[in-house]
Amino acid sequence: RHGNTNPRQRDSRRPNFKDCSTQRNLTAAGRARMEAIGRHIRTLEIPISKVQASPYCRTAETGKLIFGWADLNKDLKSAPDRNGPRTQRLAQAMRALLATPPAKGANSVLVSHTTNLYRATRIWPKQEGVAVVFKPNGKGKGFRYLGDIVFEQWEGVVRAMKGSSP
């Protein structure tokens, strides 16, 4: 899920993806947290082959701050309506992306929104900036939920991994 935003700031009814002033954006604290997560991922040497983000500024910026890049994918846009055809299509697209195996020896990243993940998986990522980890079952046939990593856990993961190396 994208990094921390100001809940008082709202997306316009029809956000312009090229104009961040029409959207809810990352806060300074949100940016700092995403940069810190990026440092932790680099320290852990987690191999990343693909980063895809919703075209909203907050998701694209999250991908860029953590990984240095993000390819925009309109199938990761926010899906706020309950069960309309657009929401169903975006949920199906999210399920297909989660079921797609990454490049051998690497990981794929999707930066998106709470509603999309919930509609596709019934998992509600409560905290902004949380990493929700899935493993594709292989050959594009489903996926398995492995768990969440919230911001406060990253430093402990780095300490544990550094302590386990010779």
Side-chain angles (χ1 to χ4, degrees), residues 102-130:
K104 187 174 174 93
N107 297 278
S108 295
V109 176
L110 306 175
V111 185
S112 192
H113 309 270
T114 298
T115 55
N116 297 53
L117 190 62
Y118 179 73
R119 300 279 186 252
T121 67
R122 293 305 198 220
I123 294 169
W124 186 267
K126 295 174 185 153
Q127 191 179 78
E128 290 180 310
V130 63

Side-chain angles (χ1 to χ4, degrees), residues 16-146:
N16 176 345
F17 297 122
K18 296 182 190 298
D19 181 359
C20 294
S21 71
T22 67
Q23 304 169 44
R24 189 173 85 240
N25 296 299
L26 297 181
T27 61
R31 286 183 192 93
R33 282 180 163 219
M34 298 307 98
E35 289 171 340
I37 290 171
R39 286 190 300 275
H40 295 317
I41 288 172
R42 287 186 295 282
T43 297
L44 292 168
E45 299 177 359
I46 298 172
I48 306 296
S49 63
K50 191 178 227 180
V51 178
Q52 296 180 70
S54 158
Y56 281 82
C57 293
R58 62 184 170 267
T59 49
E61 186 175 16
T62 294
K64 290 174 187 169
L65 289 169
I66 295 173
F67 304 101
W69 87 98
D71 295 323
L72 301 184
N73 183 333
K74 65 183 180 186
D75 285 336
L76 294 173
K77 287 191 301 190
S78 182
D81 57 329
R82 284 209 172 242
N83 289 315
R86 185 182 89 152
T87 296
Q88 291 176 12
R89 184 187 65 74
L90 292 173
Q92 181 58 38
M94 173 72 79
R95 285 189 291 273
L97 289 166
L98 291 171
T100 303
K104 187 174 174 93
N107 297 278
S108 295
V109 176
L110 306 175
V111 185
S112 192
H113 309 270
T114 298
T115 55
N116 297 53
L117 190 62
Y118 179 73
R119 300 279 186 252
T121 67
R122 293 305 198 220
I123 294 169
W124 186 267
K126 295 174 185 153
Q127 191 179 78
E128 290 180 310
V130 63
V132 183
V133 183
F134 294 90
K135 180 175 183 168
N137 291 337
K139 299 181 184 172
K141 301 283 186 189
F143 50 87
R144 185 168 39 109
Y145 168 71
L146 299 179

